[in-house]
Amino acid sequence: MSDQYTSIASLYDRLNMETDYNALANFLIKKTKEHYRNPEMILDLACGTGKLTACLAGRGYDMTGVDLSEEMLQIASERAQKSGLDVLFLCQNMCGLDLYGTYDAVYCCFDSLNYLTRPHELAKCFSLVHNYLNPDGIFIFDMNTPYKFENIYKDNSYILEAEGLFCAWQNYYNPKSKMCDFYLTFFEETKNGGYIRSDEVQRERCYSEKTILKALKDSKLELIEIIGEDKSSAPSDTDGRRYYIARAKK
């Protein structure tokens, strides 16, 4: 996982310009208040370029952002500094967290947990999240569903475009191993009208809901709710992503 999000780091935000971070922040805070209280200390796990982190920090929450990619964290740190936000960013593995305190809420979004490709890694991550949550603190995360791996990712190819940027995306999904490899090729326009090519390979694992719920239970994280991809209704069989809300029992 450590060699992923290197080439894509500087391009990530341009490829995800349609993501509504304010709407996501509204959802996360609403659900945290509903099941716990208005949080003060929040951990953004696998924070990437820190857009969600900055959005929440701008609302007055005490934010810590953790990610394994130094390139992504550099962008996140620069974003926070330009906005005058005081955010602690740490370069750490989700399976090896070594933090300085505990949190009211931990958020992990954008299918980051699917990048943990071994079930024991997922269980380890959940256990560490439990350790760093205050009693009854809230853990909200999303994961790509088997439906998405089997029907949307599959062995399909996609083209993504943004201003001055072209991305060719080829998937290879192995239904036996539950692994999906993404082969990404980027062409970024330069000032003189030429293009620079960069390549990256990423991998995600398809987890069954049974495996996810067992890992939560074994980590003493009590499942509260599962929400569908639209963030407002019960999950459906054709969801590409689901949101899980759990409470730390201590």
Side-chain angles (χ1 to χ4, degrees):
M1 188 171 60
S2 61
D3 58 349
Q4 301 185 68
Y5 284 100
T6 51
S7 297
I8 197 176
S10 63
L11 312 175
Y12 182 84
D13 290 333
R14 289 162 64 186
L15 292 172
N16 291 276
M17 291 184 66
E18 295 182 0
T19 300
D20 190 337
Y21 289 92
N22 277 309
L24 177 57
N26 289 341
F27 165 75
L28 296 170
I29 295 300
K30 176 186 175 182
K31 284 299 176 180
T32 304
K33 289 180 178 179
E34 182 179 319
H35 296 296
Y36 181 54
R37 66 186 185 209
N38 190 27
E40 296 179 7
M41 305 279 291
I42 299 175
L43 171 64
D44 187 3
L45 190 59
C47 65
T49 61
K51 271 201 167 182
L52 177 62
T53 324
C55 182
L56 290 165
R59 299 182 183 199
Y61 296 104
D62 192 332
M63 298 298 302
T64 298
V66 170
D67 202 276
L68 189 58
S69 169
E70 293 181 2
E71 291 82 3
M72 300 285 264
L73 286 175
Q74 180 63 36
I75 296 169
S77 180
E78 291 173 357
R79 169 175 285 113
Q81 290 175 11
K82 288 179 181 178
S83 300
L85 300 171
D86 185 14
V87 178
L88 174 63
F89 288 107
L90 301 171
C91 186
Q92 294 186 7
N93 191 312
M94 288 190 285
C95 299
L97 296 176
D98 185 14
L99 307 175
Y100 303 109
T102 56
Y103 298 85
D104 297 312
V106 175
Y107 304 144
C108 188
C109 301
F110 307 112
D111 54 272
S112 298
L113 290 167
N114 288 103
Y115 284 91
L116 301 178
T117 56
R118 297 178 178 85
H120 76 269
E121 293 176 335
L122 185 68
K124 177 64 174 177
C125 178
F126 284 178
S127 179
L128 287 167
V129 167
H130 177 271
N131 288 348
Y132 287 108
L133 274 171
N134 291 324
D136 295 326
I138 299 299
F139 180 32
I140 304 179
F141 63 95
D142 68 55
M143 295 190 77
N144 285 332
T145 64
Y147 178 86
K148 187 169 188 176
F149 282 93
E150 294 165 5
N151 297 276
I152 299 174
Y153 283 160
K154 207 173 179 180
D155 289 341
N156 294 324
S157 300
Y158 296 96
I159 297 297
L160 303 177
E161 292 185 87
E163 185 176 353
L165 178 63
F166 178 91
C167 173
W169 175 356
Q170 175 68 56
N171 299 327
Y172 294 98
Y173 178 60
N174 185 327
K176 292 184 178 180
S177 67
K178 304 298 182 184
M179 298 292 189
C180 188
D181 292 320
F182 311 124
Y183 292 86
L184 307 171
T185 298
F186 306 96
F187 295 91
E188 184 178 15
E189 189 174 11
T190 62
K191 292 181 179 180
N192 62 11
Y195 283 84
I196 296 175
R197 172 176 172 167
S198 56
D199 298 275
E200 184 158 307
V201 179
Q202 298 182 10
R203 171 174 284 186
E204 287 193 9
R205 183 185 183 98
C206 173
Y207 283 100
S208 68
E209 192 159 282
K210 181 179 179 181
T211 299
I212 297 168
L213 298 187
K214 183 180 185 304
L216 285 173
K217 184 178 180 180
D218 290 347
S219 302
K220 298 181 181 179
L221 290 163
E222 176 189 35
L223 179 69
I224 301 173
E225 189 176 5
I226 303 175
I227 301 174
E229 189 168 20
D230 63 2
K231 305 185 193 69
S232 63
S233 60
S236 74
D237 292 339
T238 56
D239 278 329
R241 174 178 291 166
R242 288 180 179 171
Y243 293 86
Y244 297 81
I245 304 176
R247 176 187 291 117
K249 302 305 294 180
K250 298 190 178 184

